[in-house]
Amino acid sequence: LRISVLVSGGGTNLQAVIDAVESGQIQGAEIGCILASKAGVFALKRGEQHGIPTRVIGKEQFPATSMRTKALLDALEEAETDLVVLAGYMSVLEPELIQAYGGRIINIHPSLIPQYCGKGFYGQRVHEAVLAAGEKESGATVHFVDEGVDTGPIILQRKVPVLAGDTTDTLAARVLAVEHQILAEAIQQVLPTLSLKRGSLKGK
Ligand code: GRF
């Protein structure tokens, strides 16, 4: 099976998926391509270091949303994608793409969804809000992507404690470590169900 990973930044979640595939933690799958929403992000370097085809498909390259979506769909099809993984991906996908890959797109979010998610809650802002609210715990969530933002069915969640004296950086680091764990585990969980889907598609 083939995984395409969409990225926007440092790519530590991408790295976790690369490591899990290379270590055999994730069986029967390979990363077919990495698509970045902007040029120059370190996630692209990580892909290059592991010989994975990479492309930049973002607002700069394709200002028109419809053209950007078409470019994404073409790249995903060229890579014969079975599973789309959003790994620190900061762009909202169009309904056309969600429908084309319905039930085969997963996202990692650095909070315990449904808390601190949706528009405006991404990256450091999540942890700022958690600390401002005086939460005693936070965590990360992997979920299927539907047409909302961070609203699809939850696949896996894991908690971390919020500790006295935590800053957004110390909390972010504790959550990020858990993101890496549950993203790889969620992919392991979802892959076997996809091969069934692909078979059924062939049957139709
Ligand atoms: C981080 O804020 C992470 O919590 C979220 O996306 C951001 C970048 O992750 N999932 P990565 O290092 O680019 O994977």
Side-chain angles (χ1 to χ4, degrees):
L1 289 166
R2 295 172 62 82
I3 301 168
S4 291
V5 186
L6 275 53
V7 297
S8 296
T12 65
N13 279 290
L14 163 67
Q15 190 64 54
V17 180
I18 291 172
D19 295 348
V21 169
E22 293 189 350
S23 70
Q25 180 190 349
I26 292 176
Q27 301 273 333
E30 58 184 334
I31 301 172
C33 81
I34 295 164
L35 306 178
S37 59
K38 59 184 179 192
V41 294
F42 192 65
L44 290 166
K45 289 271 173 294
R46 296 179 190 271
E48 286 153 21
Q49 281 163 4
H50 290 265
I52 302 168
T54 62
R55 282 193 60 185
V56 180
I57 301 179
K59 288 187 179 59
E60 199 181 319
Q61 296 74 26
F62 297 91
T65 303
S66 59
M67 297 300 287
R68 188 159 65 251
T69 296
K70 181 163 179 2
L72 286 168
L73 283 167
D74 290 348
L76 290 171
E77 192 180 337
E78 192 181 322
E80 296 176 289
T81 305
D82 294 296
L83 176 68
V84 181
V85 176
L86 308 187
Y89 189 64
M90 295 297 168
S91 184
V92 178
L93 297 172
E94 289 283 287
E96 183 188 357
L97 195 149
I98 309 279
Q99 280 142 28
Y101 285 88
R104 298 188 291 139
I105 310 173
I106 67 174
N107 180 48
I108 176 82
H109 180 76
S111 79
L112 296 173
I113 290 179
Q115 293 165 324
Y116 306 104
C117 67
K119 286 248 181 241
F121 283 112
Y122 55 86
Q124 295 291 62
R125 299 168 78 150
V126 172
H127 309 301
E128 281 160 16
V130 165
L131 291 177
E135 300 288 354
K136 292 287 167 275
E137 60 185 23
S138 188
T141 305
V142 182
H143 62 96
F144 285 109
V145 172
D146 62 12
E147 298 192 19
V149 179
D150 300 332
T151 52
I154 290 174
I155 300 167
L156 207 48
Q157 264 185 338
R158 190 155 298 157
K159 291 181 179 176
V160 299
V162 176
L163 302 175
D166 258 337
T167 64
T168 51
D169 287 346
T170 57
L171 179 56
R174 193 172 310 120
V175 172
L176 196 56
V178 162
E179 288 179 54
H180 299 160
Q181 292 169 8
I182 65 172
L183 184 54
E185 291 171 31
I187 291 171
Q188 267 179 278
Q189 259 180 231
V190 164
L191 280 176
T193 68
L194 296 177
S195 44
L196 291 176
K197 275 186 194 161
R198 202 154 71 138
S200 61
L201 280 178
K202 277 210 184 87
K204 284 183 189 123

